[in-house]
Amino acid sequence: MTSGPVGEQAEAELIAAVDAAAGNLTLNRPRALNALNTFMRAQMAEAMKKWAADPEIYAVVLAASGGKAFCAGGDVRELLNWVRTDPAKARQSVADEYRLVWQIDCFPKPIVALIDGLVMGSGAGISMFATHRVAGPNYAFAMPETALGFFPDVGATVFLGRLPGAVGTYLGLTGERIGRADAFRLGIASHCIDREHYPSIMKGLAAAEVVDPLLDGFHADPGPGPLATRRDAIDRCFSAADVPEILARLEAEKAEHRDWAQAALEKLRRASPLSLAVALRQLREGRALGLKAALEREHRMTVNHMASPDFAEGVRALLVDKDGAPRWRHAIDGVAQSEVEGIFAPLLDGELALPARPQPPVFQE
């Protein structure tokens, strides 16, 4: 049995439907690269709360319409508008986004994200904590927030911070895109399955087929990705103590890794120096944090960072005027430690306090 969309705007932006034992959530803003807005997050949270308690639902599927993007991030224009006109609403929207990520991580049933196309920012937030993350042939993962004058959030403290060596630092600072071969090797994707098999996966989940053998049957090993040949250079350069030293090490790279190093330098020089310093500290210090603590910390950082002129300037340069020439307030070596400290400072009020992870029921014979 299939039920229709939830909410007045759902048909245009999010489709939440039940197909027998599967709850299906489809992002439906293809012209906006399925960017998540506040309405969509609210509808996702509502549907998942209902399905978590429904004994007839075996699994949830996260999918997207259009072929270019699973989800290219959050609707940053919406957020910036609220920062300027209604700061309380902006803070509420941010808190609700982190609550949704925590809700996904705590969901008591399988969640299968079918990802073919761009997955960035908020798109990573709603998919990285799914139990199964299926990468199609057009899969492209990135966390490009430093170029927007922001930092990688929505749980990136955990899913980037725990990557091997300095790979998470490299991806978080440069915003580099990786394909499904690298994502699979890093554990960012759990399976590599071509899009033509997605209807069969959804049919199987609707019939409550056991998820792991179902996905394993369609998985094809993608082979090694390009990062494998650069791991030594990534670890050598991005293990440096601070951002200026990372740049110095990249500038010293020669021979086989010189072109890669120059491309990384170009990305870092386009990014906000403040955001780079914040992200480096975030990912280094956050490796030992659980997701709950990481999200609560990221909420604090976001509230403090939203007022930064760099965020507004990054959105202007990349998304509004699209001149690609942000005018940052600092040089790479000119970021004061006190300003970085201010991003991590406790809030005077309105700290996010997520609920404890629900404990599984204990059955007694």
Side-chain angles (χ1 to χ4, degrees), residues 41-63:
R41 295 189 190 100
Q43 294 303 308
M44 288 181 69
E46 177 187 336
M48 293 185 67
K49 180 179 179 180
K50 179 180 179 181
W51 293 339
D54 186 344
E56 299 298 320
I57 297 295
Y58 165 65
V60 169
V61 177
L62 298 179

Side-chain angles (χ1 to χ4, degrees), residues 122-146:
S122 294
I126 63 169
S127 60
M128 278 302 302
F129 301 102
T131 55
H132 302 77
R133 301 164 304 282
V134 175
N138 300 310
Y139 178 99
F141 170 94
M143 295 297 289
E145 287 80 2
T146 59

